[in-house]
Amino acid sequence: MKNKKRPLIIGITGGTGSGKSTVCKAIIENIPEENIATLEQDAYYKDQTHLTFEDRLKTNYDHPLSFDNKLLIKHIEDLCEGKAIEKPIYDYELHTRKDNEIVNIAPKDIIIVEGIMILEDEDLRDKLDIKIYVDTEDDIRILRRIQRDIKERGRTVDSVIEQYLATVKPAHDQFIEPYKKYADIIMPEGGQNEVAIDIVISKIRTQLD
Ligand code: CTP
């Protein structure tokens, strides 16, 4: 890896349910697997294995302090230096990292960093070469969140609504939306925006040439 070009780091952010993961998927599907890796900020929620399940329920998962951004930044730096990393795996039902389970990520030419609060942290923001904000209307986002959290994250309608009003919405207004100003690209309609996704894929292909 010695004489290799530094990887291109692409940040993809936006509120909960905005379609960040769909945009990531659309990009990844068009780029050879050996060239691209994704670091989800969710995988870097602070380790809470030392807390009881009841105590983990009290954590505010929509506050910048709930993320271990130091580890995320260290992993980005390691990958830039050609070192492999061990990405944590997050369990949304148990509200913590999976014990003794990781994903080995080798250095790649393109690194996607995806998450709700990647622009709020200046040190993290500075690591990103291209910053994309997936901009989706609030009503669409909450509807998607209700569906997803019930189907995939073991939640009830009542718990999703309660969490949305108590922490998710206030955090969006305080730590996510205001940081849109740092984005290079604002992507309305997220995963449906084929034109914007094609532009990002073209940029990646240029980097790979
Ligand atoms: N979260 C949660 N419980 C946890 C950890 C996180 O409910 N134990 C929630 C937080 O409330 C936060 C959300 O997970 O709002 C972040 O994930 P989100 O952005 O919704 O998911 P992605 O799939 O990354 O994004 P998108 O829906 O845009 O594809």
Side-chain angles (χ1 to χ4, degrees):
M1 292 294 293
K2 262 194 182 136
N3 296 319
K4 250 191 141 230
K5 239 194 315 190
R6 182 189 171 277
L8 180 73
I9 318 285
I10 303 176
I12 301 183
T13 191
T16 182
S18 56
K20 300 179 290 296
S21 24
T22 312
V23 172
C24 286
K25 199 164 159 262
I27 295 173
I28 290 164
E29 278 171 358
N30 283 281
I31 302 298
E33 213 183 306
E34 68 267 22
N35 295 127
I36 192 159
T38 307
L39 304 182
E40 302 83 3
Q41 192 182 28
D42 286 9
Y44 294 82
Y45 269 115
K46 283 182 182 158
D47 187 19
Q48 300 201 113
T49 38
H50 58 289
L51 297 181
T52 62
F53 180 75
E54 282 65 36
D55 281 340
R56 287 183 223 150
L57 288 178
K58 293 178 197 148
T59 302
N60 178 357
Y61 296 99
D62 289 274
H63 194 280
L65 288 176
S66 61
F67 291 102
D68 187 354
N69 280 346
K70 271 201 178 132
L71 182 63
L72 175 54
I73 292 170
K74 166 90 172 57
H75 280 179
I76 297 172
E77 287 170 348
D78 283 352
L79 289 169
C80 287
E81 288 166 17
K83 296 181 205 154
I85 59 137
E86 295 187 342
K87 180 173 80 171
I89 302 180
Y90 193 71
D91 187 325
Y92 293 95
E93 292 194 39
L94 296 179
H95 304 282
T96 190
R97 279 185 204 166
K98 291 202 177 183
D99 225 359
N100 299 322
E101 277 185 69
I102 47 100
V103 186
N104 283 302
I105 309 256
K108 307 271 174 161
D109 300 297
I110 311 294
I111 312 290
I112 295 184
V113 182
E114 178 260 321
I116 48 173
M117 288 186 200
I118 58 172
L119 296 186
E120 181 274 337
D121 180 325
E122 193 180 349
D123 294 336
L124 179 54
R125 195 166 70 224
D126 286 348
K127 297 282 170 202
L128 309 171
D129 301 310
I130 302 177
K131 303 181 244 342
I132 300 171
Y133 187 97
V134 181
D135 206 5
T136 304
E137 286 174 52
D138 294 355
D139 52 356
I140 305 292
R141 292 192 301 100
I142 178 62
L143 289 172
R144 284 187 187 151
R145 168 117 181 193
I146 292 169
Q147 267 185 334
R148 185 207 52 207
D149 281 6
I150 292 170
K151 271 196 204 151
E152 297 170 23
R153 297 188 180 175
R155 312 290 166 88
T156 61
V157 177
D158 286 350
S159 78
V160 180
I161 293 173
E162 193 186 313
Q163 185 189 11
Y164 186 81
L165 295 174
T167 56
V168 179
K169 184 175 162 44
H172 183 81
D173 298 342
Q174 190 179 354
F175 301 118
I176 301 173
E177 225 274 337
Y179 292 88
K180 187 160 99 175
K181 66 180 179 204
Y182 292 105
D184 303 301
I185 300 169
I186 294 175
M187 203 184 268
E189 311 303 331
Q192 268 53 263
N193 194 329
E194 285 179 25
V195 174
I197 290 171
D198 279 352
I199 292 171
V200 176
I201 292 170
S202 302
K203 170 76 185 157
I204 293 177
R205 293 206 173 115
T206 312
Q207 167 82 5
L208 293 175
D209 283 344

